Amino acid sequence: LSCGSYDEYLHHLRGQLKRRREHALALLERHFAELAQWDKPAGGFYIWLRLREKMPVDQLFQRMLSENILINPGNVYDFNKNQAIRLSYSYASEAELEYGIRKLAETVRKLRS
């Protein structure tokens, strides 16, 4: 902390998170435009995805888990049944984000039909 490396690290980390956020938002536009709504986060490291159609989010969670993709259903945070998913982009690589968001969109499409 005293040598200034911490400030440099924070600057680097913020840049990485911003790039990952922008990549995740572009992927959502590509794969989820008709399936969900979301807001561009001003900070942090996750995006709230609100599904347009009702579906069994618990079942979606289980299917994604079987694909080794972890999503966070909104009911974990507010204890009500809802159609929200919290997507974190902080640790995933661009390739992992690409795979996970594409696979999530495919699974949402399957569950809604």
Side-chain angles (χ1 to χ4, degrees), residues 27-89:
L27 291 168
L28 289 174
E29 280 295 329
R30 184 180 322 148
H31 297 289
F32 272 93
E34 81 283 358
L35 297 173
Q37 297 173 300
W38 58 91
D39 297 315
K40 180 178 181 177
F45 48 86
Y46 54 84
I47 299 168
W48 279 103
L49 192 64
R50 296 174 306 282
L51 300 171
R52 294 183 191 273
E53 294 183 28
K54 284 198 173 270
M55 70 175 46
V57 176
D58 294 337
Q59 188 177 0
L60 177 62
F61 170 81
Q62 290 299 326
R63 287 202 185 177
M64 298 313 300
L65 197 57
S66 73
E67 298 281 346
N68 294 318
I69 299 169
L70 180 62
I71 61 171
N72 295 299
N75 62 1
V76 171
Y77 302 97
D78 71 7
F79 305 111
N80 292 312
K81 290 283 184 190
N82 62 47
Q83 299 298 299
I85 301 167
R86 192 178 94 161
L87 300 177
S88 175
Y89 53 82

Side-chain angles (χ1 to χ4, degrees), residues 10-22:
L10 284 180
H11 178 73
H12 174 74
L13 179 61
R14 285 183 185 117
Q16 289 290 324
L17 287 173
K18 185 176 181 180
R19 279 190 287 285
R20 287 183 182 141
R21 178 194 67 192
E22 295 306 314

